[in-house]
Amino acid sequence: MLGETRSKVGSVERRTIDQWRMATAKARAATKVEKGDETIRKLEHQVLKLEDELRDAAAIEVALYSVVAEHASSAHKVHTPARRLARFYIHAYKNWSPERRPSIARNIVSGLVLVVRACGNDVPRLTYWWSNVVVLRETISQSCEDVELSTSSTETEGDVPISNANGSDFAARALRSQHLRKTRLAQDTNQMLSPPPGAGKDWRTCSTFLSSLMRVEAWIHGRVLESVWWQAITPWMQLAAPASTRGSSADVHGDLNKFAGDSRELFSKTKVDSNPCKLGDTRQGNISVEIWKRAFADALKRLCPPQGEGLDCGCLPVLKKMVIQECVTRLDVAMFNGILRDPDDDAPTDPLADPITDLSVLPIPIGGLTFGAGSHLNNVVVNWSTWLSALVSIKDRIPVESRNGEGITAKPKEIEDEEPVQFNLLKATGDLLMLPKDILLDSEIRREVCPALSLPLIRRVLANFVPDIFSPEPISPTLLAELNSEVSLERKNQGEADISSDDIAMACVPPIFYSPPSTNFVRVWIGEPSGAATWGRSSSSALRKGYTSDEELEEYQNPLALLEDKPHYDSTSAGKKKKKDEVVGGSRFQLLREAWISS
């Protein structure tokens, strides 16, 4: 019995041990499976993440790094980067999870900043990308539902409004303006990718993305304005300007040198003889008109080479007009301060507000200001304004896509309410010199006749007035005393220290102020019909999908095809899937193709 019992106990123990071993093996196998499943999930997540990054990289490469940034007559061709980026972002916004939007938006803004920085001071390329960023922002804003961005004016250089830029405290404003300009030009990619103060920081929403695009626009606008000013306008103010800035041909350069030589000779005689400008002597004014016509024609060629040659271009013309108008405002300040310069000390006093060293480019000689000088000044200003207004007019520059579009009837405000280009300070100075001086005691008349001039500037103009045969009476001491008292009272009310009448008041260069084009103008320019819920659906739209847009990915998959004289597109390969090892490094374009086909 004992032996049988022991045998049964032993068999039970063996069965129990076997069961324990089997349970342990099953537990270990289940643990391995769970670990394997977790590893697989991690790998799948990493693969999806890498695919997303590859798809984003392909979209940026196709839209930004693979295009030739040059102006063309077709708005559809010029705005290829904006069309491709908008197509990719809108597809992601409508079809993918919100967690995917931040990386796409940041990659787009980062890519735009990099291509703009790579342009350096190349103005045509800068305006090319500027136009594309504007169209991209407007397209996104029309296609996304959570937009809360205000397209109001963006001031990029401080908080001083343009209307108050002619104050008497010039030194502080000039230093502040220079400091802010250097700060703005030193902005890097990280600053561009950071939303502005007060804006939402959630990149999953379109409003944050559009705010960053607006900042990129303002940044490009500042770079374009500075480049055009220093490359095309400033050299004409300097003595012995380089030949490359004064005409592209020897004949033009020779004629202009002859004009400038005559003007310098005339200016020297006037300075030596100390004779005021006579009403019938218009030589210096005519020469100045010719010089600055050439300067602004050169500026337009830099902004848009086709339009500078009288040809059509598909980029937004309102951007070029904006820069020309701001250059006119700066030149207006420079000429105003140059005209009021002391004849005994005619050196420039400020590199921004008073930079002119070649006084022969001024419309009238410096020194005594007379009734006759005011008449000449008004004639020159009218000549300049008429010519410049025609140069930058956008009434007859609607592209072919828009002219043939359906439903495009309402004209935008930039076309309907187009205002002429004005030299406000010079015009106000000319009017002031031709007025009976006693009526200037009335502040209402002063605001009506010369609204662009502050009291210190009016006082300085009148202090330089010299009687001539058309206005033989000198300035009344009573008038100067009244103006001095008003200046003192005005500064006291503003909490500023009083200044002597002998102190020099100068016009100040206004801060850079960016006001984006209206949505209606962009819509008309790219050929979008009125009331369209989604842009890019009309056959006349510059945002319509190109016939070979999907097939162009074949070219990017095989970069060596670019070496051929005529790139070959295989129309039969658009709907076929290639094996992964057929094209090395082409996986990202295949991922992008899948997104493009469904968009």
Side-chain angles (χ1 to χ4, degrees), residues 284 331-343 354 356 359 361-369 373 377 381 384 425-426 429-430 433 460-461 464:
Q284 180 162 348
L331 181 62
D332 186 33
V333 172
M335 286 191 172
F336 176 82
N337 291 327
I339 289 172
L340 297 180
R341 200 177 294 169
D342 186 358
D354 189 17
I356 298 178
L359 299 179
V361 303
L362 295 174
I364 58 176
I366 67 172
L369 300 179
L377 195 56
V381 166
W384 276 334
L425 293 177
L426 295 183
T429 303
L433 293 174
R460 187 180 177 193
V461 172
N464 286 272

Side-chain angles (χ1 to χ4, degrees), residues 10-32:
S11 62
V12 170
E13 288 179 351
R14 286 192 295 272
R15 285 199 301 270
T16 303
I17 293 173
D18 291 339
Q19 290 176 356
W20 285 350
R21 288 176 178 175
M22 291 179 61
T24 302
K26 290 181 180 179
R28 289 177 179 177
T31 302
K32 290 182 179 179

Side-chain angles (χ1 to χ4, degrees), residues 248 297 300-302 304-312 391 397:
S248 56
L300 183 61
K301 288 182 181 179
R302 294 175 186 270
C304 180
Q307 187 176 342
E309 298 293 339
L311 304 175
D312 292 332
L391 181 71
R397 297 188 183 276

Side-chain angles (χ1 to χ4, degrees), residues 17 67 112 128 137 267 281 285 293 304 347 378 471 568 581:
I17 293 173
V67 299
L112 288 170
Y128 174 90
R137 177 178 54 79
F267 173 74
D281 191 356
K293 281 185 178 180
C304 180
N378 278 339
S471 182
H568 175 68
D581 56 350

Side-chain angles (χ1 to χ4, degrees), residues 68-79 128 304-307 311-315 399 401 525:
V68 181
E70 61 182 7
H71 294 250
S73 59
S74 170
H76 185 272
K77 181 177 180 180
V78 169
H79 297 110
Y128 174 90
C304 180
Q307 187 176 342
L311 304 175
D312 292 332
C313 185
C315 64
E401 289 92 337
W525 184 259

Side-chain angles (χ1 to χ4, degrees), residues 176-189:
R176 182 166 176 259
S177 178
Q178 293 178 30
H179 173 72
L180 290 173
R181 184 175 287 107
K182 291 179 181 178
T183 303
R184 175 183 50 76
L185 292 176
Q187 288 178 331
D188 56 9
T189 305

